[in-house]
Amino acid sequence: MNVSVNFCGIDFPNPTVIASGYLGVTGASLANCVRNGAGGVTGKTLFMDPRPGHPNPTILTFPGGLINAVGLCGEGIRKAKHEFEKYRELAPENPIIGSIGGKNLKELVEVAEIMNTYPVDMLELNFSCPNVDDEMGRPIACDPSMTAEATKAIRKVVTKPISVKLSPNVPNIGLIAKTAEAAGADAITAVNTMGPGMLIDPKLRRPILANKVGGVSGQALKPIAVRCVYDVYKAVQIPIIATGGITNGRDALEMILAGGSLLGIGSALLSHDMACFTMIVDKIRDYMKEEGFTDISELVGLAHEI
Ligand SMILES: Cc1cc2nc3c(=O)[nH]c(=O)nc-3n(C[C@H](O)[C@H](O)[C@H](O)COP(=O)(O)O)c2cc1C
């Protein structure tokens, strides 16, 4: 049973990849995930300069998942270089995706140029965080022409494969994916968190997050994410990193059948710890054996066949 995936020319030993944001960019903790079964990892989105993010509380759980308003905090791309080098040293066989952001197009292009020189296998363009609108305006991935402009500008300066990370908070994600593909994207990551959402404390009679609103992830996002992956697969020829609420083997299979080649896993890390990678890959193998498939690529997009 072959569960390895060649994605944009890069070999992943299995389809599971840590979604951006969960373990920052610390080389040792990202490498610990592959030691526990992840096929590859994605670093947290980096901007040019350090960012404090939003004030606490920034992450809450609720019965359907998580809501977060971390606000893209981080140390800035220059300081993070040694963490990518450390990861490479500790996990030479498992690909790493460098995620980038920018306050504006000029910064995005500059950060992309720097990330392109780091020891990462591909870049992910975070065009879709739903909890920094007050600072940066509407996410790029909510608008086809902004998606085209930003993807084209980054394509010009980046030699490595790029995946454009899309938002579920749009009426037609297929159209945005098509636009990114036409502008030079090699892959699509679908999706970022949805919302923003809000949770209120009835005793305090106030929103609980200091930022009031945050992006929703985990199981509540899964059916939306499956539909987004399905729509993106229908719209483009480039491969997809399917992300959003994957918690168990069944979720993973749904995402693959909808059209995902790689599986971004985030919130499950918090609810199921590091065991989730092996558990998911074992379940995919069991399914392949039971259903008579020998290579995982045979499953991708099968839900589209009538
Ligand atoms: C605490 C937290 C931080 C996140 N940080 C980032 C980030 O820096 N960049 C990004 O592209 N997505 C970020 N995300 C979104 C995730 O990468 C992922 O797209 C989303 O959570 C859906 O996947 P999940 O349901 O498996 O968590 C973050 C999500 C959470 C919960």
Side-chain angles (χ1 to χ4, degrees):
M1 235 69 61
N2 178 28
V3 293
S4 68
V5 177
N6 183 281
F7 191 83
C8 297
I10 305 158
D11 288 321
F12 289 75
N14 73 62
T16 61
V17 176
I18 302 162
S20 178
Y22 288 86
L23 291 168
V25 289
T26 306
S29 55
L30 291 172
N32 189 40
C33 292
V34 305
R35 234 175 274 130
N36 281 280
V41 300
T42 314
K44 183 160 179 67
T45 302
L46 289 165
F47 285 66
M48 185 61 83
D49 299 314
R51 291 177 47 81
H54 294 308
N56 281 322
T58 54
I59 305 182
L60 305 171
T61 57
F62 67 100
L66 291 186
I67 179 164
N68 97 84
V70 168
L72 298 173
C73 56
E75 58 183 344
I77 188 152
R78 291 214 169 80
K79 274 200 182 156
K81 184 177 184 190
H82 69 283
E83 295 294 355
F84 291 98
E85 292 166 348
K86 185 79 193 163
Y87 175 81
R88 260 286 161 265
E89 193 188 308
L90 294 171
E93 307 293 327
N94 299 77
I96 178 163
I97 302 169
S99 170
I100 61 155
K103 293 187 298 292
N104 50 45
L105 187 52
K106 183 171 171 285
E107 179 180 328
L108 253 175
V109 171
E110 287 168 4
V111 176
E113 271 183 298
I114 296 173
M115 186 63 93
N116 193 48
T117 67
Y118 284 8
V120 297
D121 297 278
M122 67 186 288
L123 273 67
E124 186 171 87
L125 317 183
N126 180 1
F127 288 174
S128 42
C129 178
N131 63 53
V132 287
D133 290 26
D134 47 348
E135 221 182 315
M136 297 179 207
R138 224 163 130 233
I140 291 172
C142 291
D143 180 276
S145 60
M146 287 200 297
T147 302
E149 189 188 3
T151 308
K152 266 189 205 146
I154 292 169
R155 177 74 288 164
K156 274 195 200 138
V157 299
V158 168
T159 52
K160 293 181 178 174
I162 54 180
S163 185
V164 174
K165 187 163 183 180
L166 299 188
S167 167
N169 311 312
V170 292
N172 186 349
I173 194 170
L175 171 67
I176 311 272
K178 237 178 164 41
T179 310
E181 180 183 42
D186 302 287
I188 297 292
T189 305
V191 284
N192 211 314
T193 51
M194 73 178 162
M198 179 184 280
L199 293 172
I200 291 177
D201 184 322
K203 287 273 184 219
L204 297 176
R205 295 183 279 279
R206 296 275 184 284
I208 307 173
L209 290 171
N211 188 55
K212 296 190 175 67
V213 298
V216 177
S217 60
Q219 280 171 316
L221 173 60
K222 195 204 83 176
I224 310 273
V226 170
R227 191 266 305 155
C228 286
V229 170
Y230 189 92
D231 286 353
V232 171
Y233 185 84
K234 234 178 6 188
V236 299
Q237 303 300 313
I238 50 180
I240 305 167
I241 307 177
T243 308
I246 301 173
T247 305
N248 53 41
R250 158 83 192 235
D251 299 334
L253 284 163
E254 288 189 46
M255 285 295 213
I256 296 169
L257 295 169
S261 295
L262 290 179
L263 304 166
I265 293 171
S267 299
L269 264 179
L270 302 179
S271 50
H272 286 63
D273 73 41
M274 294 284 173
C276 64
F277 303 110
T278 308
M279 180 188 78
I280 286 170
V281 175
D282 284 351
K283 282 281 184 293
I284 295 172
R285 277 208 187 89
D286 290 349
Y287 176 86
M288 287 169 64
K289 196 169 165 199
E290 280 160 28
E291 301 290 324
F293 294 95
T294 52
D295 193 298
I296 192 166
S297 64
E298 296 162 33
L299 296 175
V300 176
L302 271 192
H304 293 258
E305 291 190 359
I306 298 159

